[in-house]
Amino acid sequence: MEKTFSIIKPDAVKAGNAGAILSRIEKAGFRIVGLRMRHLTTREAQGFYHVHKARPFFGELVNFMSSGPCITMVLERENAILGLRDLMGATNPANAAAGTIRKDFAASIEANAIHGSDAPETAAFEISYFFPGIEL
Ligand code: CMP
């Protein structure tokens, strides 16, 4: 069993797609270990995405992620990290495969509906950043 971290982003919450996205996650065999709706502060979003701080899109990413409520989650399944990445689809919805969450719910590379950890080290950091009480 492996854990990963995910966020249903502000665009998807605002559009009323959170329930549909959660349903896809559960149908794909993930167990929800932790879940909390939050409205991120600028500092929380900056800290979460610190690996991207040198990127030209960092400021806009932080503004977007703190623009409204999001849903933070810890998910567990076999091969959870790669499995969730497959379910999400490519970062840019224009490149996302049919049937993926981003293909069906994302509007742009920034407002792309969902985040999922990309590797075991990032999953460990991201889970502990928002759910410090959960055992890894
Ligand atoms: P996410 O998986 O949450 O990780 C970093 C986020 O930066 C990414 O999804 C995108 O939503 C966002 N982003 C905005 N612009 C870009 C870009 N040009 N390239 C990659 N990611 C971008």
Side-chain angles (χ1 to χ4, degrees):
M1 280 295 170
E2 184 177 63
K3 290 188 181 69
T4 191
F5 176 80
S6 181
I7 302 178
I8 300 177
K9 296 190 180 185
D11 58 314
V13 172
K14 192 172 175 188
N17 291 327
I21 292 172
L22 265 177
S23 174
R24 287 195 188 196
I25 289 169
E26 288 194 317
K27 284 196 178 108
F30 290 90
R31 190 170 75 87
I32 299 168
V33 176
L35 183 150
R36 194 180 136 186
M37 180 173 264
R38 309 168 198 256
H39 190 149
L40 302 187
T41 64
T42 300
R43 284 183 73 103
E44 282 172 333
Q46 284 171 335
F48 178 73
Y49 279 119
H50 75 278
V51 293
H52 297 301
K53 69 172 182 286
R55 305 280 199 101
F57 58 81
F58 183 68
E60 282 182 19
L61 173 62
V62 166
N63 285 342
F64 167 67
M65 289 302 291
S66 54
S67 66
C70 66
I71 296 173
T72 52
M73 300 175 283
V74 178
L75 305 171
E76 186 174 72
R77 204 192 78 170
E78 267 178 36
N79 199 22
I81 295 170
L82 288 178
L84 184 66
R85 304 277 299 176
D86 282 348
L87 190 66
M88 293 191 314
T91 304
N92 187 343
N95 303 326
T100 60
I101 291 172
R102 283 171 171 159
K103 183 70 177 180
D104 294 340
F105 298 109
S108 69
I109 194 166
E110 179 177 275
N112 67 352
I114 186 165
H115 166 85
S117 308
D118 63 2
E121 307 74 46
T122 35
F125 164 73
E126 292 174 358
I127 289 168
S128 65
Y129 189 82
F130 283 120
F131 293 92
I134 286 177
E135 221 172 89
L136 296 173

